[in-house]
Amino acid sequence: MKTKLIACFCLSLSMLACSTTPSNIIVSPDIMGLSSKINYANKLINLSVQDLRNSAHVVQILQKDKAAVLVNSQSELNEIIQTTLSRQFAMQGLMMNDGASNQFDVSIVKALITVNQTIFKYDTETEITLSVQLANGENTLTKNYRRTGKSNGPLSPDLAVLGRDFNQQLTKALNQIVNDPEIQALVK
């Protein structure tokens, strides 16, 4: 009886370990969570977002003696960030214009959830680093915005929960950018 119970338990664990991982994770920063205070009076900006990462995945699941499982976002991360920032800046009175004297460049340096998976538990580390350069024709400001988070749990992680945590950290980083008084003071 005990042997059958142990065999069933091991079979259940092996089936759980072999479950398929979705091919992408939903990245959707909470634009409603960002400030809508009017900080710009019909000023113009040329916004560009570049992804400087070597690989497009946002989740990597590492297990001993196994190949890493890589999970991408549903869309390109630079497009998601560009759309989110454009909407938020527009809500603050800033208009997007390719010919604007204010050049606002955002670089995605790091955006990754690393999951260290063992048989009975997992640990995650989320790291997002965005570099911003704003030039108004006279002055240039360069700043880095970094957000990190850690979590852990039993068995294997739920990708929906990882996505939620990633979105929260990304929203916080974008919130820091749009509400940065140095950026607001430099836009002409």
Side-chain angles (χ1 to χ4, degrees):
M1 178 71 174
K2 235 181 190 181
T3 307
K4 285 183 182 182
L5 184 61
I6 292 172
C8 284
F9 179 73
C10 289
L11 180 62
S12 296
L13 276 179
S14 66
M15 288 174 65
L16 193 90
C18 295
S19 63
T20 60
T21 303
S23 60
N24 61 44
I25 193 167
I26 305 294
V27 176
S28 179
D30 181 14
I31 190 75
M32 300 310 289
L34 299 178
S35 170
S36 60
K37 179 182 168 191
I38 303 297
N39 294 316
Y40 308 98
N42 298 319
K43 295 180 180 176
L44 301 174
I45 196 165
N46 182 9
L47 174 66
S48 74
V49 180
Q50 299 176 21
D51 193 345
L52 302 180
R53 300 173 301 148
N54 293 330
S55 182
H57 66 277
V58 293
V59 177
Q60 65 181 6
I61 302 173
L62 308 173
Q63 287 182 292
K64 187 177 180 180
D65 300 326
K66 290 188 179 182
V69 175
L70 306 178
V71 182
N72 294 333
S73 60
Q74 82 282 11
S75 299
E76 292 186 30
L77 193 55
N78 60 321
E79 292 174 3
I80 295 168
I81 291 173
Q82 174 119 11
T83 300
T84 303
L85 286 175
S86 294
R87 285 183 187 156
Q88 184 60 33
F89 281 137
M91 288 172 51
Q92 293 186 9
L94 195 56
M95 293 183 268
M96 303 299 132
N97 184 317
D98 290 342
S101 62
N102 293 302
Q103 179 63 41
F104 195 94
D105 298 316
V106 179
S107 298
I108 305 167
V109 178
K110 190 164 190 175
L112 184 64
I113 302 170
T114 301
V115 179
N116 290 303
Q117 176 79 53
T118 63
I119 294 174
F120 296 109
K121 70 176 188 128
Y122 69 90
D123 296 303
T124 69
E125 183 174 348
T126 303
E127 185 176 353
I128 297 173
T129 304
L130 303 175
S131 179
V132 171
Q133 183 173 1
L134 173 61
N136 67 6
E138 296 173 12
N139 297 307
T140 300
L141 172 69
T142 302
K143 287 185 88 170
N144 290 316
Y145 300 85
R146 185 169 188 259
R147 301 296 307 177
T148 61
K150 293 184 180 205
S151 67
N152 58 49
L155 300 177
S156 61
D158 180 355
L159 282 181
V161 172
L162 293 179
R164 181 198 66 209
D165 293 347
F166 185 85
N167 286 322
Q168 288 173 347
Q169 295 301 329
L170 182 56
T171 298
K172 289 176 183 177
L174 296 176
N175 195 30
Q176 286 179 307
I177 293 170
V178 298
N179 291 313
D180 189 319
E182 288 181 284
I183 290 174
Q184 292 169 0
L186 199 61
V187 174
K188 294 171 98 185

